Amino acid sequence: MFRSIELTVGAFVGIGLAALFMLAMQASNLSSFTSDGQYALTARFDNIGGLKVKSAVKVSGVKVGQVSAIDYDMETFEAVVTMRIDERYDKFPKDTIASIFTSGLLGEQYIGLEPGGDDQVLADQGEIRHTQSAMVLEQIIGQFLFSKSQDNGGNEGF
Amino acid sequence: MKPLLNAVERLGRGSIFLAKTLRVLPKLLPRFGLVIHQLHSVGVQTLLIIVVAGLFVGMVLALQLYYTLSTFGAEDTLGMLVDLSLVRELGPVVAALLFAGRAGSALTAEIGLMKATEQLSGLEMMAVDPVERIIAPRFLAGFIAMPLLAAIFSAVGILGGYAVGVDLLRVDAGAFWSQIQAKVDFSEDVLNGVIKSFVFGFVVTWIALFEGHDCIPTSEGVARATTRTVVHSSLAVLALDFVLTAIMYN
């Protein structure tokens, strides 16, 4: 009797820990990135749109890292985005372009890197010089309306 | 005025009771068998209701969310929504409510009856501290069992959601898991849920043990204490859930 109680309690604790393990590994992002072996890159943008800390950094659609900090530089009036990139991907050329894209029409925003052709590679704490800001839907619509109204002869409008 | 004073006095007695219990917890280590026996009655015997409830909650979540999401064509996010609702809110809260109803009421009734039949005074006569021998092992067992039960509830709920979402409603299985793994954060979502369930286990077990220990030692007193345990701990869980959520995700 005594032994069977200990057996069931052991099974209970085992199932509970297994459930926790499943929540950690299968049902969250813990397995998808490792904290060891990362290096930092920074990039400056005029407008980061809806980019957030922990947004993805992708190359050709493959996730290689995530945004670790977002700051604003009061000297140059630009947004400074710090990314942590997996150490496996450590040979990006100096003239890599960082752009802010949106996944889908209304999806969340991420940084897309486009490797250039330079022989020198970006080191840890390196800065990506060539950036392209986020597209803000309202601005695009505004530009579209503006050009449309010019086509129609200026002050006709809608 | 008098009911207010009564409530404050009960709160004071409850806090002193908790302090006494916490103080004797280290003495339990050499006699961990006592805790294991309580884990059996508090944890193992609550397992069935947790698994069944978790399964159905996950299934109904998937069903309800599917019909809303399909109007936006966003069925692929079903897994993420089921997972987030379970690990952040429903897992800890519903498991704690079931725990209060199943294990908390049993604890109160058991200790209340021990008091009514003068077993607790009997222990004291034999120079055995009832807090150390009876209360503390049950407290520790409740504190350990609750997070495990909540985790099992969430995990079974996700599997239930998977069964309904993927097998019944034909959501893509790959999208189900990849959306979960992309959007559910371990420390932000899962770990905060675990912290919640620790807090709920602490509070529910505390209320249950205190009500049992503090009851009027008659059959009517035990009955009223048991009812109070379920009502008070359920309300405490729901109120604390709001406070904890506000702190964690403000």
Side-chain angles (χ1 to χ4, degrees):
Chain A
M1 187 59 204
F2 187 73
R3 281 194 62 91
S4 78
I5 280 183
E6 293 188 332
L7 199 69
T8 50
V9 170
F12 165 63
V13 174
I15 294 171
L17 293 179
L20 265 180
F21 185 75
M22 178 203 149
L23 289 182
M25 302 313 289
Q26 184 78 347
S28 77
N29 63 353
L30 193 64
S31 53
S32 61
F33 81 97
T34 46
S35 58
D36 51 39
Q38 290 178 319
Y39 67 102
L41 291 179
T42 58
R44 289 162 180 274
F45 295 94
D46 290 330
N47 189 344
I48 59 166
L51 197 74
K52 291 188 216 50
V53 172
K54 286 188 177 163
S55 291
V57 178
K58 294 181 180 177
V59 185
S60 314
V62 179
K63 190 183 176 195
V64 295
Q66 58 181 2
V67 173
S68 64
I70 294 175
D71 214 343
Y72 186 67
D73 188 345
M74 272 314 284
E75 311 242 308
T76 59
F77 303 113
E78 282 172 322
V80 183
V81 175
T82 311
M83 300 161 255
R84 298 207 67 84
I85 313 287
D86 201 318
E87 219 164 43
R88 283 182 294 167
Y89 314 107
D90 62 346
K91 295 209 172 46
F92 287 117
K94 267 250 157 71
D95 57 346
T96 295
I97 304 170
S99 323
I100 297 179
F101 294 125
T102 310
S103 53
L105 191 58
L106 300 167
E108 63 178 39
Q109 294 191 296
Y110 65 94
I111 294 185
L113 300 180
E114 257 176 83
D118 204 317
D119 290 338
Q120 289 184 299
V121 297
L122 285 163
D124 187 24
Q125 311 294 338
E127 188 184 330
I128 299 174
R129 299 270 167 206
H130 309 285
T131 62
Q132 192 187 332
S133 287
M135 296 220 266
V136 180
L137 205 58
E138 293 92 316
Q139 280 180 0
I140 296 169
I141 293 173
Q143 280 166 4
F144 173 73
L145 293 182
F146 185 70
S147 66
K148 194 85 177 165
S149 66
Q150 275 188 332
D151 290 347
N152 291 348
N155 48 18
E156 259 178 57
F158 288 86
Chain B
M1 201 58 204
K2 196 150 183 280
L4 184 71
L5 281 178
N6 268 339
V8 174
E9 195 210 348
R10 281 179 66 78
L11 188 64
R13 263 182 294 156
S15 307
I16 293 168
F17 174 79
L18 180 67
K20 273 185 191 165
T21 311
L22 292 180
R23 207 174 48 210
V24 297
L25 278 186
K27 293 185 189 170
L28 277 178
L29 278 180
R31 289 191 293 171
F32 209 70
L34 289 175
V35 182
I36 289 181
H37 268 248
Q38 293 313 317
L39 266 175
H40 180 80
S41 59
V42 167
V44 177
Q45 293 182 354
T46 319
L47 197 55
L48 187 66
I49 185 175
I50 290 284
V51 169
V52 174
L55 193 67
F56 281 115
V57 167
M59 282 160 64
V60 82
L61 264 180
L63 213 52
Q64 288 283 12
L65 290 172
Y66 179 82
Y67 287 117
T68 314
L69 288 172
S70 60
T71 59
F72 303 107
E75 299 97 319
D76 286 350
T77 56
L78 181 73
M80 174 197 75
L81 277 173
V82 170
D83 188 351
L84 278 182
S85 344
L86 280 168
V87 296
R88 282 167 75 143
E89 286 298 333
L90 290 175
V93 171
V94 178
L97 294 179
L98 293 172
F99 182 76
R102 171 66 185 74
S105 58
L107 283 177
T108 307
E110 187 186 15
I111 291 175
L113 269 176
M114 280 184 181
K115 189 178 181 186
T117 53
E118 297 187 337
Q119 292 179 51
L120 292 186
S121 338
L123 281 176
E124 266 173 34
M125 294 281 280
M126 294 187 287
V128 176
D129 182 6
V131 171
E132 192 185 325
R133 183 71 175 73
I134 303 291
I135 306 285
R138 284 165 174 74
F139 183 79
L140 193 58
F143 186 65
I144 296 172
M146 184 52 224
L148 296 174
L149 290 171
I152 293 171
F153 186 97
S154 298
V156 172
I158 292 167
L159 294 180
Y162 180 87
V164 167
V166 175
D167 297 331
L168 210 65
L169 300 171
R170 301 278 169 232
V171 173
D172 182 51
F176 189 91
W177 288 118
S178 68
Q179 283 283 332
I180 285 178
Q181 286 168 3
K183 302 278 171 57
V184 182
D185 188 64
F186 179 70
S187 59
E188 177 98 336
D189 301 318
V190 177
L191 223 52
N192 277 344
V194 173
I195 292 171
K196 270 187 185 177
S197 58
F198 266 115
V199 174
F200 295 159
F202 185 94
V203 170
V204 170
T205 323
W206 171 30
I207 291 177
L209 291 173
F210 173 67
E211 291 290 355
H213 191 257
D214 198 57
C215 74
I216 302 160
T218 59
S219 31
E220 199 202 343
V222 175
R224 282 169 64 180
T226 312
T227 312
R228 265 207 309 269
T229 293
V230 177
V231 173
H232 286 188
S233 47
S234 302
L235 290 179
V237 164
L238 293 172
L240 270 174
D241 181 53
F242 173 72
V243 175
L244 286 174
T245 308
I247 294 173
M248 285 167 176
Y249 308 109
N250 63 341

